[in-house]
Amino acid sequence: KLPEHLHWSMWESYSTWLTGFALFTVLYLYNASTFLIDKTLFDWSPTAAITTALGFFVAFLLLYDAICRTLGRGKNGDLIVGACVFVLIVAASWLSCHLFAGRAAFLLVGAMIATTMSGNVFFWIIPGQRTVVAAIKAGQPVDPVHGQRGKQRSVHNTFFTLPVLFAMMSNHYGFTYGAKHNWLVLVAIMVAGALIRMSFALRHKALAYGQPVPWRYAVIGTLLLIGTIA
């Protein structure tokens, strides 16, 4: 039975993306020759750099969506999708750090993932929920694909959270984006964030069932962070 009043949690995601993209536009795209381009890495025009940066958002969103829709339903689908998305993020991190100034490259990868997170909410999670609610109200059978797809994208958004948070704050940590192999630093810190986030997520389940909290993932993530800093 549906509750009398439903709260749709979506504008938190949309407003975060809109304000973040506005800041990225004003600070980085508008000042591309200063903040986006490092001519010692890649010497190109501001127009080309801006177009490529925006292309990262679109390309990652489309490729990610294709991976989820084509590889997520079979045996070990979640594992296969996770591995493919990880490879895609690693490739994007490597390419971004070889094309753009380090600070901009880190922020661009974070904004790229954040765009996909909001896309998940806008294109799949909220529409799927509305479709399910409409079917229940009409007394019609509910297609389970909406719940499966919504859960898949929600789980991904959960693991994306801390990696994106670090990328958004990375301009305060010059030793990360200024490192010789900065793309590896970015990947390592994002993996650490995902591991720590996994412990957060599993903690709620463990407490609900009266089980020990699996802090091992957070410990591994923390050690990875310390090792990367060292």
Side-chain angles (χ1 to χ4, degrees), residues 49-95:
I50 292 170
T51 302
T52 303
L54 295 175
F56 267 73
F57 298 159
V58 177
F60 183 79
L61 178 61
L62 294 177
L63 290 172
Y64 164 84
D65 184 61
I67 289 171
C68 289
R69 286 190 290 107
T70 59
L71 303 177
R73 294 190 177 185
K75 184 179 180 181
N76 299 320
D78 290 338
L79 183 61
I80 294 172
V81 168
C84 290
V85 172
F86 175 71
V87 170
L88 186 59
I89 292 175
V90 171
S93 300
W94 179 88
L95 186 59

Side-chain angles (χ1 to χ4, degrees), residues 11-185:
W11 280 105
E12 295 87 342
S13 174
Y14 303 159
S15 60
T16 300
W17 186 88
L18 289 170
T19 53
F21 185 74
L23 284 171
F24 183 72
T25 299
V26 171
L27 296 176
Y28 286 87
L29 299 185
Y30 184 73
N31 299 289
S33 59
T34 303
F35 296 115
L36 199 60
I37 297 174
D38 181 351
K39 292 188 176 182
T40 63
L41 286 175
F42 200 79
D43 189 0
W44 52 352
S45 69
T47 300
I50 292 170
T51 302
T52 303
L54 295 175
F56 267 73
F57 298 159
V58 177
F60 183 79
L61 178 61
L62 294 177
L63 290 172
Y64 164 84
D65 184 61
I67 289 171
C68 289
R69 286 190 290 107
T70 59
L71 303 177
R73 294 190 177 185
K75 184 179 180 181
N76 299 320
D78 290 338
L79 183 61
I80 294 172
V81 168
C84 290
V85 172
F86 175 71
V87 170
L88 186 59
I89 292 175
V90 171
S93 300
W94 179 88
L95 186 59
S96 180
C97 288
H98 281 78
L99 291 178
F100 301 100
R103 182 168 61 174
F106 275 40
L107 187 61
L108 177 61
V109 172
M112 174 193 77
I113 300 174
T115 298
T116 296
M117 292 174 69
S118 291
N120 281 340
V121 176
F122 184 80
F123 292 112
W124 300 108
I125 297 174
I126 293 299
Q129 289 179 351
R130 291 192 185 280
T131 300
V132 168
V133 169
I136 293 175
K137 287 183 175 179
Q140 299 174 349
V142 176
D143 188 344
V145 71
H146 300 295
Q148 295 164 358
R149 185 182 291 139
K151 178 184 177 182
Q152 179 194 54
R153 307 301 176 103
S154 295
V155 168
H156 293 170
N157 280 5
T158 295
F159 288 111
F160 286 155
T161 302
L162 290 186
V164 167
L165 181 61
F166 164 73
M168 296 297 107
M169 298 173 60
S170 62
N171 61 332
H172 296 290
Y173 305 98
F175 71 93
T176 57
Y177 62 77
K180 182 178 180 180
H181 301 293
N182 54 354
W183 69 276
L184 282 175
V185 174

